[in-house]
Amino acid sequence: MLQFFPTKSALKLKNLLCRFFMGLFLIFRVFRAEQKFADHMKEKNQASSEFAKKKTLLEQRQYLPIFAVRQQLLNIIRDNNIVIVVGETGSGKTTQLTQYLHEDGYTSYGMVGCTQPRRVAAMSVAKRVSEEMNSNLGEEVGYAIRFEDCTSEKTVIKYMTDGILLRESLRESDLDHYSAVIMDEAHERSLNTDVLFGLMMKDKRSDLKLIVTSATMDSDKFAAFFGNVPIFHIPGRTFPVDILFSKVPQEDYVEAAVKQALQIHLSGMVGDILIFMPGQEDIEIVERLEDLENAPSLAVLPIYSQLPSDLQAKIFQKAPDGVRKCIVATNIAETSLTVDGIMFVVDAGYCKLKVFNPRIGMDALQIYPISQANANQRAGRAGRTGPGQCFRLYTQSAFKNEMLTTTIPEIQRTNLANVVLLLKSLGVQDLLLFHFMDPPPEDNMLNSMYQLWILGALDNTGSLTPTGRLMVEFPLDPALSKMLIVSCDMGCSADILIIVSMLSVPSIFYRPKVPSIHCDQVREKFSVPESDHLTYLNVYLQWKNNNYSSIWCNDHFIHTKAMRKVREVRSQLKDIMVQQKMNLVSCGSDWDVIRKCICAAYFHQAAKLKGIGEYVNVRTGMPCHLHPTSALFGMGYTPDYIIYHELVMTTKEYMQCVTAVDGEWLAELGPMFYSIKHAGKSRQVSSVPPEFHNQHL
DNA sequence: GAGCACTGC
């Protein structure tokens, strides 16, 4: 790095230059107006500073490991339509590959597209590359993420999230605008990446170059999937990390992690510590590390996605001199954010995963051992600024014999209703024959098709109905799209639009670590006793009445960031509704209409009261519980029938976001499920035998 | 009377 000190000779030089420019100034003044001169100097200064910047950027580019193999890489891409690139951390693949293809002429007949699994990555990489190419962001180099299209007609290099490319392929299936597509970080195997993989194999243009980047572990599998295509290896530039395994299995990983961190801290070695924990709860326990009096000058900083952003920012701030940072993180720190200065990683070896069970239509959020790939990624976090150490709180044999090499891809453990709808709209006839790299369980596919049939998106032959076609337009789960579509006929679309937007954003309510009665009292002000959905509507309307104020949010224990996102989602959905000529009307204060509309899209997720505060699933008979955050919880108001938005298994089977409905609505709106049984005076809704359902699969 | 890893359109 260059440093400038105002020495004597430098001051002399400055004086000389000043005189020189003063002289110039006087001469110019004779011929030109002052303003013109100023403009000229401005331009000149800009040009020279840009030259300096360009030079250093060019030098930086040439210093990257990928530069040494540039020509080889371009040759192999020229000779093959699909190439797997293994690019280690720090190789420069993400910023350079696109530019090399541009320099090699690929942008003369189409764009070079590059997908990223995360929005921030797409934005920041595009910014960097536009600087390296000496152009303004959004011109030659641009990016596109949800809610933000920063590209123009000039754009030749386009970074985007994988979801954007997937949506684009809906509109033009052969990706005509592109001459080359790079799917970066494909080893993360996001749902969108996996669907794109299959589509790329289905009917790929013969002149489209596809470059898939992967980690070493998956490269052979990737190459085989795409038809034994070549693998190209780019070395990385990171520092070595010593890996130390636990000699014996640890019973309590929280305690073990705290002990290990303390040992590092007291050993006198310099550098910050990063501890990986599975969830928020464990992180809060580890924080008590700070209380240990014998640990001087240690700053314990938690980080997880639900943490308010001002507290999140703390991990990036420099600690005071002599203070060591000890960051306690979920797997958010594995890929999503990078902290410099980490020399030690303490890895508990667990993470939380959401796994979908199609048989009962329920997600289970559970703690699982991480995979070897995760473990290596975590260890790598210690080697970014210098040589590091990674302490694994599990044995070497556990690593080798008990951990999977890679994590089970999302497509095999998630509800596929959305994927099925998307593929159907792309004209994929038999989904079970679709070319997935790792096919999802058949049960899962059939269940999703069944759910789409219930919602009227698929007909009895399994083809897309007009309703289904309309549902594809919305970036929503099928039941939510359905609710929006139905609401137009029921005259409450403006209200449902808000509810759908609220449901598309996680965690609206903020609960402080030390729970206060005040917080609960404030919350009760919004509560609509018969419905969480209506409670959400209420919150949004009140926020709107308070001019979308963030102070109002803070005063009412509501996440401002989440509410802003709700507003964005609402506006995007509204645009689609207008475009699809769907009418936007509010039913005002007639909230029964809204409840009925919710019922029309969620009748398949209903529960019946059985005992005090106990519910059973109407279809499966499985006991389900109201979640304690529900407006209906412990209110003494227990309706006979409710529908739920989501069923999640944590410590119990919990229904999240519920609304009271009339039993008769269920029979009326979901006749394929329910019939009214007349038993004396009272009428009961009963489930239609399941054999009936199977006729349609 | 519970507690929610992370993404994305």
Side-chain angles (χ1 to χ4, degrees):
Chain A
M1 207 165 72
L2 283 173
Q3 273 179 319
F4 183 78
F5 295 102
T7 57
K8 259 187 191 167
S9 56
L11 287 174
K12 225 184 224 174
L13 184 72
K14 192 183 156 199
N15 264 335
L16 262 170
L17 281 172
C18 276
R19 277 189 209 168
F20 173 64
F21 278 115
M22 279 301 280
L24 262 183
F25 179 65
L26 287 170
I27 297 163
F28 265 92
R29 203 177 172 184
V30 180
F31 300 104
R32 296 171 189 229
E34 262 184 61
Q35 188 55 50
K36 271 198 174 169
F37 171 67
D39 284 346
H40 172 76
M41 286 313 288
K42 208 171 132 195
E43 249 171 55
K44 198 173 165 184
N45 278 338
Q46 231 169 32
S48 66
S49 82
E50 260 163 30
F51 176 72
K53 209 162 105 189
K54 198 170 157 188
K55 198 176 159 198
T56 53
L57 281 175
L58 190 65
E59 278 167 2
Q60 281 175 35
R61 286 188 62 192
Q62 292 176 348
Y63 177 71
L64 290 166
I66 195 175
F67 184 72
V69 293
R70 182 180 182 276
Q71 201 49 52
Q72 281 167 271
L73 187 54
L74 286 173
N75 289 346
I76 206 166
I77 293 169
R78 178 138 301 179
D79 297 340
N80 298 276
N81 276 342
I82 305 180
V83 177
I84 310 296
V85 169
V86 177
E88 288 169 15
T89 320
S91 64
K93 63 172 160 50
T94 308
T95 55
Q96 302 309 300
L97 257 171
T98 49
Q99 294 185 70
Y100 293 174
L101 292 176
H102 170 59
E103 290 155 11
D104 209 32
Y106 286 95
T107 48
S108 59
Y109 62 97
M111 280 190 289
V112 168
C114 180
T115 67
Q116 295 291 320
R118 274 170 293 279
R119 300 162 49 116
V120 245
M123 279 162 66
S124 60
V125 174
K127 185 165 176 287
R128 169 76 196 186
V129 172
S130 71
E131 279 165 12
E132 287 185 8
M133 283 180 55
N134 200 18
S135 74
N136 293 323
L137 185 59
E139 290 178 4
E140 278 85 1
V141 185
Y143 67 89
I145 55 178
R146 189 181 185 183
F147 306 124
E148 230 180 305
D149 185 356
C150 186
T151 60
S152 61
E153 280 169 14
K154 277 187 180 174
T155 303
V156 291
I157 294 178
K158 177 173 175 179
Y159 285 91
M160 68 202 115
T161 49
D162 46 13
I164 291 273
L165 189 65
L166 188 56
R167 283 273 149 184
E168 280 184 6
S169 71
L170 266 180
R171 275 171 221 120
E172 42 167 69
S173 61
D174 46 5
L175 297 171
D176 264 344
H177 284 85
Y178 298 93
S179 58
V181 168
I182 302 163
M183 292 178 68
D184 203 9
E185 312 290 347
H187 58 271
E188 286 191 27
R189 303 290 304 276
S190 74
L191 190 62
N192 293 333
T193 297
D194 267 20
V195 176
L196 277 167
F197 273 174
L199 290 176
M200 292 285 190
M201 288 302 291
K202 194 174 144 250
D203 38 22
K204 200 182 133 321
R205 262 166 47 208
S206 57
D207 61 331
L208 178 75
K209 295 289 180 188
L210 176 64
I211 296 144
V212 179
T213 81
S214 112
T216 323
M217 288 178 131
D218 316 270
S219 57
D220 288 339
K221 184 177 179 177
F222 280 30
F225 173 79
F226 286 107
N228 291 322
V229 298
I231 302 171
F232 191 86
H233 197 274
I234 311 165
R237 185 170 287 145
T238 49
F239 295 93
V241 176
D242 264 347
I243 293 182
L244 299 125
F245 286 94
S246 171
K247 286 200 181 67
V248 288
Q250 298 290 336
E251 267 180 38
D252 183 346
Y253 59 79
V254 174
E255 196 187 312
V258 171
K259 255 192 205 162
Q260 187 60 60
L262 267 183
Q263 201 188 318
I264 296 166
H265 184 54
L266 298 174
S267 72
M269 292 183 286
V270 185
D272 294 338
I273 305 171
L274 173 61
I275 304 178
F276 282 102
M277 281 285 141
Q280 179 180 344
E281 199 184 349
D282 289 321
I283 289 173
E284 279 164 10
I285 299 171
V286 172
E287 275 185 85
R288 75 183 168 198
L289 185 63
E290 205 174 16
D291 299 336
L292 296 174
E293 282 178 8
N294 292 338
S297 54
L298 189 67
V300 181
L301 305 166
I303 178 95
Y304 45 87
S305 74
Q306 304 279 42
L307 195 73
S309 41
D310 51 324
L311 294 176
Q312 278 195 6
K314 271 192 177 176
I315 65 159
F316 296 109
Q317 288 162 11
K318 206 184 164 297
D321 280 343
V323 173
R324 187 204 301 272
K325 280 199 287 191
C326 178
I327 296 163
V328 194
T330 58
N331 46 6
I332 191 174
E334 207 175 290
T335 48
S336 302
L337 50 91
T338 305
V339 193
D340 282 331
I342 299 292
M343 300 294 247
F344 307 99
V345 163
V346 178
D347 177 12
Y350 294 96
C351 65
K352 280 199 179 179
L353 280 183
K354 213 172 178 179
V355 177
F356 180 66
N357 181 336
R359 206 172 42 79
I360 44 179
M362 181 168 67
D363 282 314
L365 190 72
Q366 282 174 339
I367 295 181
Y368 292 93
I370 57 168
S371 67
Q372 291 173 8
N374 288 136
N376 294 337
Q377 178 72 26
R378 289 179 174 192
R381 292 303 190 185
R384 293 189 68 91
T385 32
Q389 284 183 308
C390 172
F391 298 88
R392 291 179 171 165
L393 304 177
Y394 40 89
T395 62
Q396 187 156 21
S397 115
F399 175 81
K400 269 191 189 158
N401 307 321
E402 288 163 35
M403 287 183 175
L404 297 169
T405 32
T406 53
T407 313
I408 295 171
E410 194 183 359
I411 199 156
Q412 291 190 325
R413 52 182 172 85
T414 195
N415 182 336
L416 291 172
N418 234 331
V419 172
V420 170
L421 189 66
L422 201 90
L423 292 178
K424 280 285 178 190
S425 78
L426 287 167
V428 179
Q429 294 294 329
D430 193 340
L431 294 177
L432 298 178
L433 295 180
F434 187 71
H435 196 50
F436 285 113
M437 182 178 272
D438 289 294
E442 204 174 289
D443 246 17
N444 208 342
M445 290 281 258
L446 293 174
N447 183 278
S448 300
M449 287 169 75
Y450 175 52
Q451 201 197 328
L452 288 168
W453 173 79
I454 291 168
L455 292 173
L458 297 180
D459 61 20
N460 287 356
T461 65
S463 314
L464 214 59
T465 62
T467 306
R469 204 157 292 284
L470 188 52
M471 281 161 72
V472 184
E473 296 296 324
F474 292 94
L476 292 169
D477 276 341
L480 288 173
S481 316
K482 169 78 185 212
M483 192 155 92
L484 213 45
I485 293 167
V486 176
S487 71
C488 295
D489 297 330
M490 296 179 77
C492 56
S493 54
D495 316 283
I496 291 290
L497 174 61
I498 291 170
I499 293 172
V500 166
S501 308
M502 292 287 275
L503 288 171
S504 302
V505 169
S507 62
I508 297 295
F509 295 111
Y510 171 64
R511 233 180 116 77
K513 215 182 272 171
V514 184
S516 66
I517 300 166
H518 176 61
C519 171
D520 292 336
Q521 281 172 344
V522 169
R523 177 86 63 88
E524 263 173 44
K525 278 206 295 191
F526 301 115
S527 281
V528 179
E530 67 268 28
S531 167
D532 291 318
H533 294 87
L534 290 172
T535 302
Y536 278 145
L537 176 62
N538 208 5
V539 168
Y540 189 89
L541 292 176
Q542 290 198 34
W543 182 52
K544 189 182 167 197
N545 285 342
N546 285 278
N547 298 315
Y548 307 108
S549 148
S550 59
I551 298 163
W552 181 88
C553 287
N554 289 336
D555 288 347
H556 295 81
F557 300 97
I558 285 165
H559 278 125
T560 314
K561 225 167 72 180
M563 290 305 290
R564 289 207 192 109
K565 182 112 186 258
V566 172
R567 210 177 155 193
E568 276 186 317
V569 173
R570 197 198 85 96
S571 131
Q572 186 193 17
L573 297 178
K574 191 183 149 197
D575 288 348
I576 298 171
M577 288 174 79
V578 170
Q579 190 193 317
Q580 297 297 325
K581 302 190 170 53
M582 292 161 70
N583 57 325
L584 217 67
V585 280
S586 170
C587 61
S589 55
D590 188 4
W591 284 2
D592 281 357
V593 177
I594 298 176
R595 284 195 298 125
K596 192 164 180 183
C597 178
I598 298 166
C599 188
Y602 281 89
F603 57 80
H604 58 295
Q605 301 184 348
K608 183 161 76 173
L609 187 69
K610 191 175 196 176
I612 304 152
E614 279 177 45
Y615 283 89
V616 291
N617 194 297
V618 179
R619 282 169 57 203
T620 62
M622 185 178 73
C624 302
H625 307 86
L626 287 172
H627 197 268
T629 53
S630 169
L632 277 74
F633 184 85
M635 295 295 283
Y637 168 69
T638 45
D640 284 343
Y641 292 97
I642 56 176
I643 58 91
Y644 57 86
H645 175 63
E646 216 177 12
L647 193 59
V648 180
M649 168 84 183
T650 49
T651 51
K652 274 188 199 165
E653 298 86 354
Y654 283 113
M655 295 176 285
Q656 291 179 340
C657 195
V658 305
T659 283
V661 293
D662 270 15
E664 281 170 40
W665 294 350
L666 288 174
E668 177 193 335
L669 298 163
M672 69 288 271
F673 279 150
Y674 313 111
S675 58
I676 300 269
K677 229 191 322 198
H678 294 267
K681 260 188 191 172
S682 69
R683 281 179 299 179
Q684 280 220 318
V685 178
S686 68
S687 176
V688 174
E691 295 90 287
F692 176 81
H693 310 153
N694 297 334
Q695 288 173 9
H696 295 272
L697 287 179

